[in-house]
Amino acid sequence: MSLQRSDMKLITTVFLLAVLTSINAQKISRSLQDHNSRHSDLVLFAYGSDNPVKIGTVDVQGNLLTDLSEVQMPQLTAEIRELFTSELWLVFAFGCGNRDDFGQHGTVPAVRGGNVALLADKEWTGSFFIASDQELKPWMADPAYNSAVRGQFWDVIYVDADVSINITCQNEIHLDRGIAEASYTYDLDLKKGFNWVEYSIEDIHVTDPEVMASFPSKVRISNMTDQGKMKWLADYFF
């Protein structure tokens, strides 16, 4: 069956929109409030502090720009790659029980980016916690002593191949008294290279704060859905 010209035009348009959406999902620009007025590189220390991965910049006016689709991997020795590279099932902020939960994708080489750092004149001057709510920052900094709240936070993950993951895992978290159930749903389409990953905390297991901090009990892990919700919460060292 042959396609009409109008059908071909529609297919081409849909394809181009999909490509543009994928590219734009990796690019973020915004103006930071209360920036410390230093021109800085945005970097990840995914391969250690001696091998920063530059993902963008912030100028003296606080204009931030990052585009993961244009990130250049630093020159790394085989030893450094092996030291910092893990398997995909291990690099998420919330993990399933074992690699088998991810099927054939569980062993794909991957690296978690960690907090986005600020590098000015080769000095580490601060770091960002990227979240939808200021109240998530204390939990992100120290989940053992600070309780989580509903909301989103973002991380960067590097994968060595294109990967699609659509699974839900049920985990048991052992407490001093009993067991808590936790549900993690992964709905991801990762491209080879660096990717934004969004964690949506949908429910909280409330605990006795004198014993332990409340923690997420239902989380959805996906590609970035709305960068407008991102708050770049900085901790400046000096």
Side-chain angles (χ1 to χ4, degrees):
M1 181 175 66
S2 61
L3 292 173
Q4 299 294 325
R5 180 176 297 180
S6 59
D7 295 329
M8 288 295 297
K9 185 176 180 180
L10 176 60
I11 292 171
T12 301
T13 301
V14 170
F15 173 76
L16 289 174
L17 285 173
V19 170
L20 289 172
T21 299
S22 176
I23 292 173
N24 290 336
Q26 299 289 69
K27 186 176 181 179
I28 296 170
S29 62
R30 66 199 40 225
S31 179
L32 300 179
Q33 301 297 319
D34 302 320
H35 181 56
N36 67 358
S37 299
R38 299 182 68 181
H39 186 282
S40 306
D41 288 336
L42 300 174
V43 303
L44 303 174
F45 292 133
Y47 298 96
S49 57
D50 292 331
N51 302 285
V53 180
K54 182 179 175 180
I55 66 169
T57 59
V58 182
D59 67 18
V60 294
Q61 286 81 32
N63 296 309
L64 178 150
L65 179 63
T66 174
D67 188 348
L68 296 188
S69 67
E70 296 183 351
V71 172
Q72 299 295 314
M73 184 72 76
Q75 294 295 321
L76 302 170
T77 65
E79 289 78 11
I80 291 294
R81 283 185 180 274
E82 183 177 358
L83 177 63
F84 289 96
T85 301
S86 185
E87 296 180 340
L88 181 61
W89 72 284
L90 292 170
V91 299
F92 295 103
F94 301 91
C96 290
N98 57 67
R99 66 167 61 91
D100 293 337
D101 291 317
F102 286 88
Q104 63 180 346
H105 300 308
T107 58
V108 170
V111 181
R112 187 176 180 189
N115 287 349
V116 177
L118 286 159
L119 209 61
D121 300 322
K122 298 184 179 180
E123 290 186 301
W124 184 9
T125 60
S127 292
F128 286 108
F129 295 87
I130 309 174
S132 62
D133 192 324
Q134 175 80 34
E135 293 185 13
L136 267 173
K137 182 181 175 183
W139 171 79
M140 293 173 69
D142 191 349
Y145 292 95
N146 298 301
S147 292
V149 299
R150 291 182 178 87
Q152 292 82 37
F153 68 96
W154 290 267
D155 197 359
V156 176
I157 286 178
Y158 173 86
V159 288
D160 208 35
D162 292 356
V163 176
S164 293
I165 307 171
N166 292 279
I167 59 173
T168 297
C169 301
Q170 303 296 330
N171 280 13
E172 291 184 345
I173 299 176
H174 292 265
L175 310 175
D176 286 345
R177 296 182 180 179
I179 295 175
E181 298 290 334
S183 174
Y184 309 138
T185 297
Y186 300 79
D187 184 12
L188 286 161
D189 183 17
L190 304 176
K191 302 302 180 183
K192 181 178 179 179
F194 292 92
N195 299 260
W196 286 108
V197 174
E198 178 178 294
Y199 298 89
S200 296
I201 301 174
E202 298 177 348
D203 207 356
I204 303 291
H205 181 86
V206 179
T207 63
D208 179 352
E210 298 297 324
V211 178
M212 68 178 296
S214 299
F215 56 87
S217 58
K218 185 177 181 181
V219 183
R220 176 172 293 276
I221 302 101
S222 67
N223 294 80
M224 182 169 58
T225 60
D226 184 0
Q227 62 168 276
K229 293 182 178 180
M230 281 180 159
K231 294 181 180 178
W232 291 65
L233 308 171
D235 273 351
Y236 296 110
F237 305 151
F238 55 88

